């Protein structure tokens, strides 16, 4: 919640049944087979190159800590047409630019890249209004479908 490439190293997150932990503590706690990352939408208003560099530092950190893990970078979800057309920062043009950089980063780092937007976009490439109430976030009831899609995609990685 509210994590970004700028604060992920210093912030702690509440993990149900585990406690409040830092990323370092989580990475040191066990060996992971797969690690999924989706960050960046909150950073769209920051300097683009610096944000991509910070994302790369995060991937490097995870690769050093969990060299056996498959890292999967997820594209950021689009916003609705209504939001995209009225917001100078949080719009699909900026999101697509950032997602393209993430895809290139994944290729450079030897990680996987998945773009989940095909599940939630309308025919114009915007977040379909039926999946959102705030024009930005998908409703929680769609997380199960998203998780199932991730699982199905991950079968190709093994």
């Amino acid at each position: 919640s509210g994590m970004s490439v700028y604060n992920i190293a210093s912030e702690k997150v509440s993990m149900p049944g585990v406690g409040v932990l830092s990323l370092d503590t989580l990475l040191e706690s066990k060996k992971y087979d797969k690690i999924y990352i989706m960050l960046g939408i909150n950073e769209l208003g920051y300097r683009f190159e610096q944000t991509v560099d910070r994302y790369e530092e995060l991937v490097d950190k995870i690769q050093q800590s969990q060299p056996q893990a498959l890292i999967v970078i997820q594209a950021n979800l689009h916003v609705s047409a209504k939001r995209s057309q009225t917001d100078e920062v949080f719009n699909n043009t900026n999101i697509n630019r950032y997602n393209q950089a993430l895809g290139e980063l994944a290729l450079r780092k030897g990680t996987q890249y998945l773009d989940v937007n095909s599940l939630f976009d309308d025919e114009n490439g915007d977040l379909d209004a039926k999946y959102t109430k705030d024009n930005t976030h998908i409703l929680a009831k769609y997380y199960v479908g998203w998780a199932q899609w991730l699982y199905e995609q991950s079968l190709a990685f093994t």
Side-chain angles (χ1 to χ4, degrees), residues 20-62:
V20 179
L21 306 168
S22 68
L23 176 63
D24 285 339
T25 303
L26 282 171
L27 291 173
E28 293 166 3
S29 67
K30 70 176 195 171
K31 292 199 180 296
Y32 295 92
D33 293 325
K34 295 178 182 137
I35 298 173
Y36 293 82
I37 308 169
M38 179 187 257
L39 292 168
I41 194 83
N42 294 330
E43 294 91 320
L44 284 180
Y46 291 66
R47 212 174 92 233
F48 181 79
E49 294 79 12
Q50 181 179 356
T51 300
V52 174
D53 288 347
R54 285 292 192 89
Y55 208 113
E56 186 166 355
E57 291 170 11
L58 171 62
V59 171
D60 289 342
K61 176 185 190 77
I62 295 170

Side-chain angles (χ1 to χ4, degrees), residues 3-154:
M3 299 303 283
S4 79
V5 296
Y6 292 99
N7 71 8
I8 194 161
S10 60
E11 291 290 315
K12 294 183 178 182
V13 294
S14 178
M15 302 290 294
V18 179
V20 179
L21 306 168
S22 68
L23 176 63
D24 285 339
T25 303
L26 282 171
L27 291 173
E28 293 166 3
S29 67
K30 70 176 195 171
K31 292 199 180 296
Y32 295 92
D33 293 325
K34 295 178 182 137
I35 298 173
Y36 293 82
I37 308 169
M38 179 187 257
L39 292 168
I41 194 83
N42 294 330
E43 294 91 320
L44 284 180
Y46 291 66
R47 212 174 92 233
F48 181 79
E49 294 79 12
Q50 181 179 356
T51 300
V52 174
D53 288 347
R54 285 292 192 89
Y55 208 113
E56 186 166 355
E57 291 170 11
L58 171 62
V59 171
D60 289 342
K61 176 185 190 77
I62 295 170
Q63 285 179 323
Q64 290 170 1
S65 180
Q66 296 281 326
Q68 76 293 338
L70 173 70
I71 298 172
V72 180
I73 297 173
Q74 292 184 77
N76 283 276
L77 293 174
H78 290 136
V79 295
S80 71
K82 181 178 180 180
R83 172 111 193 235
S84 187
Q85 294 165 1
T86 59
D87 196 310
E88 291 183 24
V89 175
F90 298 100
N91 59 61
N92 291 331
T93 299
N94 288 341
I95 293 169
N96 288 336
R97 178 178 178 228
Y98 189 62
N99 285 344
Q100 180 178 346
L102 294 181
E104 293 167 2
L105 171 66
L107 190 60
R108 274 195 323 275
K109 293 296 177 179
T111 67
Q112 296 295 322
Y113 175 78
L114 288 177
D115 189 344
V116 71
N117 282 298
S118 61
L119 286 180
F120 303 114
D121 279 359
D122 62 18
E123 64 278 357
N124 298 313
D126 301 303
L127 176 61
D128 195 315
K130 70 183 177 187
Y131 294 117
T132 183
K133 288 288 187 211
D134 66 0
N135 296 307
T136 304
H137 302 94
I138 64 165
L139 298 167
K141 67 183 179 180
Y142 297 110
Y143 285 15
V144 172
W146 182 356
Q148 180 63 36
W149 183 86
L150 286 174
Y151 171 75
E152 291 166 4
Q153 300 305 307
S154 74

